Amino acid sequence: MKEYFIKNKVNLILIAVLGLFYIISVVANFGFGIKTMGNFTDSFIEMITLIPFMFVLIGLFDVWVPKEVIEKHVGQDSGIKGMLWVILLSMLQGGPLYGAFPVAYILWKKGASTRNIFVYLGAFSTMKIPMLSFEIGYLGLKFSLMRTLLTLPVFILTAILMEKIFGKNFKMKQPESDKKD
C-alpha cells in the first residue's frame, strides 16, 4: 500500500487538489468551479462506462486477429491499400479519441506501419461514421464533405511526415501489463 502511494504521489496530489477546488467552489458558490466539476464528472462517468467494453473488444482483436494479417494488410509494404484499410477501420468505430490509442497500440504491436498508425489516429478523430452523421445533421452534407476532403489529405501527409521522422524504428510505450511480450 505504501509503495502505491509513493508510486502515484503526483496523481494523488492532483486528485486532492481537484477535490479541494470543488469543495471551495461549492462553499464559495463559485459557478465556474461547480460547472467545471460537473463537466469533469460527466466525462469521468462516460470514460469508466466505455473503457471496460473497449478493452474487451481490443483484447478480442488482439487474440483473434493474427499478426500476419495485420502485417500483410497495413504493414510496411501495404501502400495506399493499407491506408484505406485503417481509414475504414477508424470510420467504423465510435467513442472518444482516447479509445483509439489502445487500438493504435495493438496495430503497432502486430506490425502496422508507422504511417498507417498515424493515418488511423487522424481518421479516427475526424471521420467516424457516428460523428459524421451528427455533423451532417447539424452542419449539412456539403460542409461535412468539404471538411473531410480537406482534412484527410492533411492527416495522410502528416502520417507520411511522421514516418519519415520516426522511421521504421518507431516505438510505442508498452503498458505495464504487456511488458512480458
Side-chain angles (χ1 to χ4, degrees):
M1 190 70 152
K2 185 178 178 182
E3 290 177 25
Y4 176 81
F5 285 111
I6 292 171
K7 184 178 177 183
N8 297 297
K9 184 171 57 178
V10 173
N11 293 336
L12 293 171
I13 289 171
L14 287 174
I15 291 170
V17 167
L18 191 64
L20 188 63
F21 174 71
Y22 180 65
I23 291 169
I24 291 171
S25 295
V26 169
V27 170
N29 198 19
F30 181 49
F32 176 76
I34 294 170
K35 187 174 181 178
T36 301
M37 288 308 295
N39 290 339
F40 172 78
T41 303
D42 292 344
S43 296
F44 182 74
I45 289 170
E46 175 191 295
M47 195 171 68
I48 63 170
T49 54
L50 283 176
I51 281 182
F53 182 66
M54 287 183 337
F55 279 107
V56 167
L57 291 177
I58 290 167
L60 292 174
F61 179 75
D62 190 21
V63 172
W64 287 347
V65 179
K67 183 175 184 170
E68 296 77 26
V69 171
I70 299 296
E71 286 177 338
K72 178 182 174 188
H73 294 289
V74 295
Q76 292 298 331
D77 302 322
S78 60
I80 291 173
K81 204 166 67 175
M83 282 192 246
L84 293 175
W85 276 117
V86 292
I87 290 170
L88 180 65
L89 175 67
S90 67
M91 289 180 74
L92 295 176
Q93 291 183 290
L97 182 59
Y98 57 78
F101 295 119
V103 175
Y105 172 74
I106 294 296
L107 289 172
W108 170 77
K109 184 177 149 188
K110 291 188 172 268
S113 70
T114 305
R115 176 191 62 243
N116 287 335
I117 290 169
F118 285 106
V119 168
Y120 166 77
L121 290 173
F124 185 90
S125 65
T126 59
M127 297 177 62
K128 294 177 288 189
I129 289 175
M131 187 185 86
L132 286 175
S133 64
F134 276 106
E135 184 179 281
I136 290 169
Y138 284 102
L139 301 172
L141 180 62
K142 185 178 177 184
F143 175 85
S144 293
L145 280 173
M146 289 304 295
R147 190 200 49 77
T148 301
L149 291 174
L150 291 173
T151 55
L152 185 59
V154 171
F155 285 121
I156 290 172
L157 288 174
T158 303
I160 291 169
L161 183 65
M162 296 295 264
E163 186 174 56
K164 297 272 186 222
I165 291 170
F166 289 114
K168 293 181 179 179
N169 296 324
F170 176 68
K171 301 269 186 238
M172 291 181 121
K173 185 178 177 185
Q174 289 184 315
E176 292 292 325
S177 62
D178 228 15
K179 289 206 173 167
K180 62 185 172 198
D181 290 339

